[in-house]
């Protein structure tokens, strides 16, 4: 039963991720995986989200300009969770 519930949650997340546009998928991913960001390279994030690396770079640059994130040696650090959550709601 526990295994089935876990699989249903994974499927729900998958469906929700696919239904969002690219920017909101990225912001959702960053918020949901904040603790994992220090171990992920930007190329890995692009693969996980099925985004071209160029698009990911563009979206990250936009988030940096809005002072929502910063990068340190290629690692992403979230600066303002509340604004990012509001950003998802506005998509």
């Amino acid at each position: 039963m526990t295994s089935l519930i876990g699989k249903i949650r994974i499927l729900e997340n998958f469906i929700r991720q696919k239904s969002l546009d690219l920017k909101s998928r990225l912001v959702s991913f960053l918020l949901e995986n904040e603790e994992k960001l220090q171990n992920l390279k930007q190329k890995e994030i692009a693969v996980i989200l099925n985004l071209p690396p160029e698009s990911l770079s563009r979206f990250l640059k936009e988030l940096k300009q809005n002072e929502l994130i910063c990068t340190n040696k290629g690692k992403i650090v979230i600066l303002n969770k509340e604004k990012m959550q509001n950003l998802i709601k506005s998509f």
Side-chain angles (χ1 to χ4, degrees), residues 23-58:
K23 288 182 185 179
S24 59
R25 279 186 13 211
L26 173 61
V27 173
S28 289
F29 178 83
L30 294 176
L31 288 171
E32 291 172 3
N33 297 286
E34 183 177 6
E35 66 279 350
K36 297 178 186 176
L37 293 177
Q38 293 302 312
N39 299 324
L40 290 173
K41 296 179 183 178
Q42 291 180 17
K43 286 184 180 183
E44 293 171 328
I45 294 171
V47 170
I48 291 169
L49 295 175
N50 196 24
L51 287 172
E54 300 81 18
S55 296
L56 177 66
S57 294
R58 220 172 312 134

Side-chain angles (χ1 to χ4, degrees), residues 6-77:
K7 290 176 183 178
I8 290 171
R9 286 187 182 141
I10 291 170
L11 181 59
E12 286 175 340
N13 285 336
F14 177 78
I15 292 169
R16 187 178 38 144
Q17 289 291 332
K18 293 298 179 185
S19 67
L20 300 173
D21 67 15
L22 298 178
K23 288 182 185 179
S24 59
R25 279 186 13 211
L26 173 61
V27 173
S28 289
F29 178 83
L30 294 176
L31 288 171
E32 291 172 3
N33 297 286
E34 183 177 6
E35 66 279 350
K36 297 178 186 176
L37 293 177
Q38 293 302 312
N39 299 324
L40 290 173
K41 296 179 183 178
Q42 291 180 17
K43 286 184 180 183
E44 293 171 328
I45 294 171
V47 170
I48 291 169
L49 295 175
N50 196 24
L51 287 172
E54 300 81 18
S55 296
L56 177 66
S57 294
R58 220 172 312 134
F59 296 149
L60 292 176
K61 182 178 178 182
E62 185 178 323
L63 293 173
K64 282 188 227 177
Q65 289 172 343
N66 292 327
E67 297 179 351
L68 299 173
I69 66 167
C70 69
T71 56
N72 184 13
K73 297 182 181 179
K75 305 300 179 185
I76 300 168
V77 178

